[in-house]
Amino acid sequence: MRYHQLRFDIWLCLALSVLLSFIPVKIAEKILPKQYDSYVEERTVEKGDIGGMADENVYRAQNVQDLLSHDTFTVISPGIEYYNRGAGYHGKYYMYALTLPSGERIAAIINNDSVQRTGQTIYDGDSILPVGHIVYEDLSKDEYFLNQIEHSQKLSRTDFYVDMLGEGGKVSQEDFIETPTIILQILTVLIAFPIFHAIGSKIGIFPYFFPPKEKKKSEWD
């Protein structure tokens, strides 16, 4: 097995770039928690709106026909049964295979922040799912998605899905902070590395990656 060792100038510039990247990361870690509160407020759905908590006035759908005949509705699901019947990504949405009380199965996007539990734990009692509505779309065109969500049982309908998310759906504070700080750190390293190396090459302590072209002497030199 052959081992390749980085040149001194490369690992030194890389190390300096990584150290420098901690400065913007520390700044971001102080700013982002304050922004998270605003983010949570924006992504919290009012009760009764699509993706919000369903009160006693929201229609309790029993079957597909109920879904199709009502503008908005909710579904009562035993425990966390809707978690365990298959799921998959369709575009940017993560959809669950939701079993209706009738036994029919449809795809649904669910705002877990608005699910109401009637039991002592998530495993007993029922889950009152958020307010939802029908979105017509041909899911059969997304074969990869169907292979995921139908791994245990076929969907009853693939010409629509139920949107129980609306404008809701929040990431955790940890994920809200972690993702942009990682991106910021990578960008800082990518920008700082060539700058450090160019400076070192200019003052003669590093070899050039691309040696500068020598200027042609004019006839007057």
Side-chain angles (χ1 to χ4, degrees), residues 134-180:
I134 291 290
V135 177
Y136 288 98
E137 184 176 342
D138 187 0
L139 301 177
S140 65
K141 293 181 179 179
D142 191 342
E143 186 176 346
Y144 179 72
F145 165 69
L146 286 184
N147 288 337
Q148 295 177 78
I149 200 169
E150 294 186 333
H151 76 86
S152 63
Q153 188 178 343
K154 295 284 187 181
L155 296 176
S156 301
R157 297 282 293 265
T158 58
D159 58 327
F160 69 83
Y161 65 85
V162 170
D163 178 10
M164 291 181 169
L165 179 66
E167 297 299 321
K170 303 187 292 289
V171 300
S172 66
Q173 183 172 6
E174 181 181 356
D175 289 339
F176 183 83
I177 295 172
E178 183 179 42
T179 301

Side-chain angles (χ1 to χ4, degrees), residues 59-75:
Y59 184 78
R60 268 61 173 161
Q62 301 295 311
N63 51 48
V64 167
Q65 186 56 42
D66 287 344
L67 304 181
L68 298 174
S69 60
H70 290 79
D71 292 333
T72 60
F73 47 78
T74 186
V75 174

Side-chain angles (χ1 to χ4, degrees), residues 166-209:
E167 297 299 321
K170 303 187 292 289
V171 300
S172 66
Q173 183 172 6
E174 181 181 356
D175 289 339
F176 183 83
I177 295 172
E178 183 179 42
T179 301
T181 51
I182 289 175
I183 295 173
L184 183 60
Q185 188 167 27
I186 292 172
L187 287 175
T188 302
V189 171
L190 291 176
I191 294 170
F193 177 84
I195 293 175
F196 279 131
H197 199 276
I199 293 172
S201 300
K202 190 73 174 177
I203 62 179
I205 61 174
F206 298 152
Y208 282 101
F209 282 137

Side-chain angles (χ1 to χ4, degrees), residues 3-195:
Y3 294 92
H4 298 277
Q5 187 173 0
L6 286 177
R7 280 176 9 197
F8 168 78
D9 57 314
I10 294 177
W11 71 252
L12 179 58
C13 290
L14 187 60
L16 291 173
S17 301
V18 171
L19 288 174
L20 180 65
S21 71
F22 287 117
I23 296 175
V25 165
K26 288 298 182 182
I27 295 172
E29 287 176 345
K30 290 184 178 180
I31 296 174
L32 290 173
K34 299 176 183 177
Q35 295 182 344
Y36 184 72
D37 293 337
S38 298
Y39 163 79
V40 170
E41 186 176 347
E42 291 174 0
R43 303 293 289 187
T44 298
V45 184
E46 294 293 328
K47 182 180 290 188
D49 290 343
I50 302 300
M53 290 185 181
D55 60 24
E56 62 279 358
N57 297 318
V58 180
Y59 184 78
R60 268 61 173 161
Q62 301 295 311
N63 51 48
V64 167
Q65 186 56 42
D66 287 344
L67 304 181
L68 298 174
S69 60
H70 290 79
D71 292 333
T72 60
F73 47 78
T74 186
V75 174
I76 309 299
S77 180
I80 55 169
E81 191 270 350
Y82 64 94
Y83 267 145
N84 303 320
R85 296 290 180 249
Y89 276 101
H90 176 62
K92 65 178 181 178
Y93 295 119
Y94 189 69
M95 297 189 183
Y96 298 97
L98 173 61
T99 303
L100 303 175
S102 64
E104 296 166 293
R105 288 160 53 86
I106 48 92
I109 315 168
I110 299 172
N111 180 10
N112 290 303
D113 295 328
S114 297
V115 175
Q116 302 170 80
R117 315 287 184 187
T118 62
Q120 296 293 325
T121 70
I122 62 173
Y123 302 105
D124 58 9
D126 292 325
S127 294
I128 305 173
L129 300 184
V131 179
H133 69 153
I134 291 290
V135 177
Y136 288 98
E137 184 176 342
D138 187 0
L139 301 177
S140 65
K141 293 181 179 179
D142 191 342
E143 186 176 346
Y144 179 72
F145 165 69
L146 286 184
N147 288 337
Q148 295 177 78
I149 200 169
E150 294 186 333
H151 76 86
S152 63
Q153 188 178 343
K154 295 284 187 181
L155 296 176
S156 301
R157 297 282 293 265
T158 58
D159 58 327
F160 69 83
Y161 65 85
V162 170
D163 178 10
M164 291 181 169
L165 179 66
E167 297 299 321
K170 303 187 292 289
V171 300
S172 66
Q173 183 172 6
E174 181 181 356
D175 289 339
F176 183 83
I177 295 172
E178 183 179 42
T179 301
T181 51
I182 289 175
I183 295 173
L184 183 60
Q185 188 167 27
I186 292 172
L187 287 175
T188 302
V189 171
L190 291 176
I191 294 170
F193 177 84
I195 293 175

